[in-house]
Amino acid sequence: MFTKYDVIVVGGGHAGCEAAHAAAHMGSSVLLVTMNMNTIAQMSCNPAMGGVAKGQIVREIDALGGMSGIIADRSMIQFRMLNRSKGPAMWSPRTQNDRMKFAEEWRIALEQTPNVDFWQEMVSSILVKNGKAAGVRTAMGIEIEADSVVLTNGTFLNGIIHIGEKQFGGGRTAERPAKGITEQLVGLGFEAGRMKTGTPPRVDGRSLDYSVMEEQEGDEKPSKFSFLPETSPPANQRSCHITYTNPEVHSILETGFDRSPMFNGRIQGVGPRYCPSIEDKINRFAERDRHQIFVEPEGWNTVEVYVNGFSTSLPEEVQYKALKKIKGFEQVKMFRPGYAIEYDYFPPTQLSLTLETRLIENLYFAGQINGTTGYEEAACQGLIAGINAHNKIHGKSAFTLSRSEAYIGVLIDDLINKGTEEPYRMFTSRAEFRILLRQDNADLRLTKKGYQLGLASESRLQLMQEKDDAVDRLISELNDERVDQTVNDKLEELGSSTITQKIPLISLLKRPEINIRQLLSLSDHLTRYTSKYSEEILDQSEIQIKYHSYIQKEEELARKMSSLDKVKIHTTFDYEGISSLSAEGKEKLKKVRPETLGQASRISGVSPADISIIMVHIGR
């Protein structure tokens, strides 16, 4: 019935889709096994992609040749560039998406990818032979062989849904949990834990009064995620709205606290710190008399609305009473209540930087199984796992990204070296090289790597090269231009100091109060640049000119840090035999088994003194 596959991907969420697409596009035969073919790429939580730091990840996935950016563009109903008032290292693209269209576009993309087969059923265990993953066994007892397996189980592993005092098995609402895999892996020596996440109620948009809410429109000149011209910014956009809770809402919610699984001990898993439930917000921030609620449409052709900021596991009648006291929600009709879900995960310190498990060869973990939260974090892990599953079985080199190359590299490095005891979410503050890792230059950083992998197309590489050449050309031309005192009137209008002699035009752009479009309007002959170069080239050139010294400093720091990453540590290195290592350092090093001195230096609990000692022993 089944031939042997190169790669089996278990789970059809964001991680599974990217893993299947990547491995198949690179030439592997892939079987995507999912419990429900109708929920492939389901947006289980909010109908949006990107956001702070997450948007950078989506652009990195796209630059490497992944699909999340393209799918998000094809299904977007609104685009916003967040943090435009801050420096470009903080700019983060975000799309509001049509939930059904997003899933449909992903399924179409996978069905149109040669080498991808599908099977709808639950996987109950992994086939393991001689310490290697060799396929999967399904709930019906079917054994399907493969050279490698990628697990992307999301919230389904022994998932339990909580609504007030009610609890029942489920990986998502109306979907059953996956059983058997955790028990088998624990039996093989893996460490497992429990986490929890939550989701808010969905309501009928026809029952809301938007006139009393704050409208949140998309950008006036919207952009998009993908660097490819095959997608385009939206011609039309749908607005979101903002409203707030109030003391009356809080009082009603508090009446259900005694029946809340969060407070009565029924939930043992750790929840996301940065996306707390509404009852958690009220409990932790008792001094606040209101909390922001984002009212997000679920698509172009549906009245269903996602109540962002109101995640809860309180009894459904308490949820409903509280919702009715929110401004604009007085006549609200609820489609389905919010709930909390508790599920198994495996601490990611058990993986290598390729996301292959250290206990079982050719077995990879990606997504929430590693303790992360969010579509974007899952998708980039799926991409890296799919790439490495393909490369490993075809005798090719492992593919990893460093912390100075990508947010994807930061995320995986954090997971492997520090682990996580709560759902991990990416932030710009986690990246020490965030001036280098901007959303606008993801293609310049990563497209060549994607092309070398066989994932990014030659046309994509050519577009990136044309962009790079155009930026260099514009910077050179601006550097050759000179301006004199004839521009002083314009400078005064811009609130900038006048000049007393002819100076290079480029020096004016380094002034914080002048942007490149203002610069090119200083005289008539400069306006030719705005028609000669695209908006993207103008923006990229401005960033490289304004932040040149900061970029240089970070590049130099990255070079210094990368020198430690070039010092390899053998997997059999005897930490136990070095008495001068700290007890905590020795314990962490034995557990993580770092591949390089740089990786060892980033392990929580390993001191600089420990690194110096290891360096001496490696030298010996």
Side-chain angles (χ1 to χ4, degrees):
M1 183 175 175
F2 289 99
T3 57
K4 185 177 181 181
Y5 288 90
D6 291 326
V7 181
I8 290 178
V9 177
V10 181
H14 299 259
C17 288
E18 286 289 2
H21 172 265
H25 194 81
M26 292 168 71
S28 283
S29 58
V30 176
L31 179 67
L32 177 61
V33 186
T34 176
M35 293 168 67
N36 187 347
M37 289 282 289
N38 295 320
T39 56
I40 286 175
Q42 176 91 304
M43 298 182 108
S44 307
C45 203
N46 62 322
M49 287 291 284
V52 177
K54 293 167 175 279
Q56 283 86 327
I57 289 176
V58 177
R59 295 212 104 190
E60 290 176 354
I61 292 169
D62 181 75
L64 285 166
M67 289 297 294
S68 288
I70 292 172
I71 301 299
D73 288 349
R74 288 175 178 168
S75 59
M76 82 165 95
I77 63 174
Q78 186 194 88
F79 180 92
R80 293 181 68 219
M81 184 67 77
L82 307 183
N83 289 335
R84 281 305 291 253
S85 62
K86 300 179 181 178
M90 304 296 287
W91 297 354
S92 302
R94 183 183 189 272
T95 58
Q96 200 70 35
N97 294 85
D98 185 312
R99 185 189 298 278
M100 290 182 283
K101 179 73 171 167
F102 185 92
E104 178 189 24
E105 289 290 347
W106 245 125
R107 179 158 174 175
I108 290 170
L110 289 172
E111 289 180 353
Q112 291 178 348
T113 302
N115 303 327
V116 175
D117 290 343
F118 302 87
W119 183 250
Q120 177 174 292
E121 199 186 342
M122 186 180 82
V123 168
S124 57
S125 61
I126 312 302
L127 300 180
V128 180
K129 295 178 182 176
N130 302 318
K132 295 183 179 182
V136 299
R137 181 180 292 107
T138 72
M140 291 196 296
I142 300 170
E143 293 191 353
I144 310 171
E145 294 185 331
D147 288 322
S148 62
V149 176
V150 182
L151 292 184
T152 68
N153 301 83
T155 59
F156 281 79
L157 293 179
N158 293 319
I160 297 176
I161 290 174
H162 298 266
I163 304 175
E165 296 175 302
K166 301 166 186 171
Q167 65 178 54
F168 45 90
R172 271 190 298 247
T173 184
E175 295 183 61
R176 60 190 174 132
K179 296 184 179 293
I181 292 177
T182 298
E183 293 74 14
Q184 180 200 16
L185 292 178
V186 169
L188 289 168
F190 285 88
E191 177 190 350
R194 293 286 277 178
M195 282 189 177
K196 78 104 178 170
T197 188
T199 191
R202 273 52 159 197
V203 302
D204 188 338
R206 297 169 298 183
S207 65
L208 303 181
D209 182 1
Y210 293 106
S211 68
V212 298
M213 303 181 198
E214 301 170 24
E215 186 174 7
Q216 187 179 56
E217 298 178 304
D219 285 353
E220 188 176 341
K221 291 183 179 178
S223 186
K224 62 194 186 80
F225 276 119
S226 182
F227 293 99
L228 290 176
E230 65 185 63
T231 65
S232 55
N236 301 299
Q237 300 185 74
R238 283 200 68 176
S239 292
C240 296
H241 289 80
I242 299 172
T243 185
Y244 299 87
T245 62
N246 55 59
E248 191 175 7
V249 173
H250 298 179
S251 295
I252 293 171
L253 291 171
E254 286 171 350
T255 65
F257 278 12
D258 61 326
R259 290 175 288 161
S260 167
M262 264 191 57
F263 297 127
N264 60 23
R266 279 202 305 279
I267 290 182
Q268 301 297 317
V270 181
R273 178 195 303 254
Y274 303 102
C275 190
S277 65
I278 188 65
E279 54 264 38
D280 198 22
K281 290 180 193 175
I282 294 169
N283 188 52
R284 283 165 53 190
F285 308 108
E287 73 282 0
R288 296 190 185 177
D289 60 6
R290 71 174 194 171
H291 294 281
Q292 201 169 43
I293 301 294
F294 293 93
V295 183
E296 301 179 349
E298 298 251 342
W300 289 113
N301 303 308
T302 178
V303 298
E304 190 170 0
V305 166
Y306 181 89
V307 190
N308 196 342
F310 204 87
S311 290
T312 180
S313 57
L314 289 169
E316 63 273 21
E317 70 274 11
V318 176
Q319 295 183 34
Y320 182 59
K321 286 178 185 176
L323 280 173
K324 288 177 73 68
K325 298 299 180 181
I326 295 174
K327 194 172 184 179
F329 278 66
E330 290 83 1
Q331 305 301 319
V332 68
K333 293 180 180 178
M334 191 162 69
F335 281 169
R336 46 192 164 125
Y339 61 86
I341 182 164
E342 204 175 3
Y343 55 93
D344 293 336
Y345 85 104
F346 292 84
T349 49
Q350 301 170 98
L351 307 175
S352 71
L353 290 169
T354 63
L355 299 183
E356 182 182 24
T357 68
R358 290 203 300 270
L359 276 175
I360 304 296
E361 195 176 345
N362 297 345
L363 176 63
Y364 297 80
F365 292 172
Q368 284 176 288
I369 192 172
N370 289 335
T372 59
T373 180
Y375 309 143
E376 304 81 5
E377 290 91 341
C380 73
Q381 290 174 72
L383 180 72
I384 298 302
I387 289 169
N388 280 303
H390 167 85
N391 279 359
K392 176 80 179 287
I393 61 177
H394 288 91
K396 297 181 180 180
S397 301
F399 178 73
T400 60
L401 292 166
S402 71
R403 298 181 71 89
S404 61
E405 289 177 314
Y407 271 92
I408 297 172
V410 174
L411 182 146
I412 293 175
D413 191 75
D414 278 353
L415 292 176
I416 305 311
N417 296 318
K418 299 175 184 176
T420 185
E421 294 178 353
E422 61 184 52
Y424 178 100
R425 179 179 178 179
M426 180 52 72
F427 291 101
T428 52
S429 58
R430 295 191 190 272
E432 61 270 42
F433 301 112
R434 54 186 171 273
I435 294 175
L436 302 181
L437 308 183
R438 306 182 311 275
Q439 57 83 31
D440 59 88
N441 70 350
D443 55 340
L444 302 179
R445 291 184 276 120
L446 300 174
T447 293
K448 189 174 181 180
K449 292 178 182 291
Y451 176 72
Q452 290 167 342
L453 285 167
L455 192 55
S457 64
E458 187 172 354
S459 60
R460 184 189 279 275
L461 179 68
Q462 186 177 345
L463 281 170
M464 180 278 293
Q465 195 59 60
E466 289 171 358
K467 172 182 172 179
D468 200 22
D469 292 344
V471 170
D472 287 344
R473 193 164 55 250
L474 176 56
I475 291 174
S476 177
E477 290 174 9
L478 294 179
N479 198 43
D480 292 340
E481 287 278 359
R482 296 289 187 272
V483 288
D484 56 25
Q485 293 95 319
T486 58
V487 302
N488 279 341
D489 288 345
K490 290 281 184 73
L491 288 175
E492 286 181 344
E493 287 177 21
L494 296 172
S496 192
S497 301
T498 56
I499 58 177
T500 57
Q501 59 186 12
K502 185 177 279 191
I503 63 170
L505 177 68
I506 206 166
S507 63
L508 290 177
L509 189 53
K510 293 179 180 179
R511 297 182 177 185
E513 69 273 12
I514 297 179
N515 64 46
I516 195 165
R517 288 160 185 80
Q518 293 168 330
L519 181 83
L520 298 178
S521 68
L522 290 178
S523 66
D524 291 341
H525 86 279
L526 293 176
T527 58
R528 70 185 188 279
Y529 289 111
T530 57
S531 55
K532 184 179 177 181
Y533 292 101
S534 69
E535 297 277 318
E536 184 182 20
I537 302 304
L538 293 173
D539 289 340
Q540 183 65 215
S541 301
E542 178 177 3
I543 290 167
Q544 291 194 20
I545 292 167
K546 276 189 182 295
Y547 295 90
H548 177 70
S549 60
Y550 296 100
I551 291 169
Q552 276 193 320
K553 285 177 183 176
E554 281 206 356
E555 286 175 341
E556 179 59 29
L557 181 58
R559 277 192 291 272
K560 287 178 179 177
M561 290 189 67
S562 70
S563 63
L564 287 178
D565 283 314
K566 292 175 183 173
V567 182
K568 302 292 183 183
I569 302 176
H570 200 276
T571 52
T572 59
F573 190 88
D574 182 19
Y575 298 106
E576 194 61 51
I578 306 176
S579 59
S580 50
L581 282 175
S582 68
E584 183 182 7
K586 191 180 296 186
E587 180 187 341
K588 295 289 180 66
L589 289 161
K590 283 162 58 182
K591 184 176 182 180
V592 175
R593 286 281 164 193
E595 299 171 22
T596 68
L597 201 60
Q599 186 185 350
S601 71
R602 295 188 293 273
I603 297 172
S604 177
V606 176
S607 69
D610 291 329
I611 297 301
S612 298
I613 292 164
I614 296 169
M615 195 181 297
V616 169
H617 279 264
I618 289 174
R620 287 177 184 170

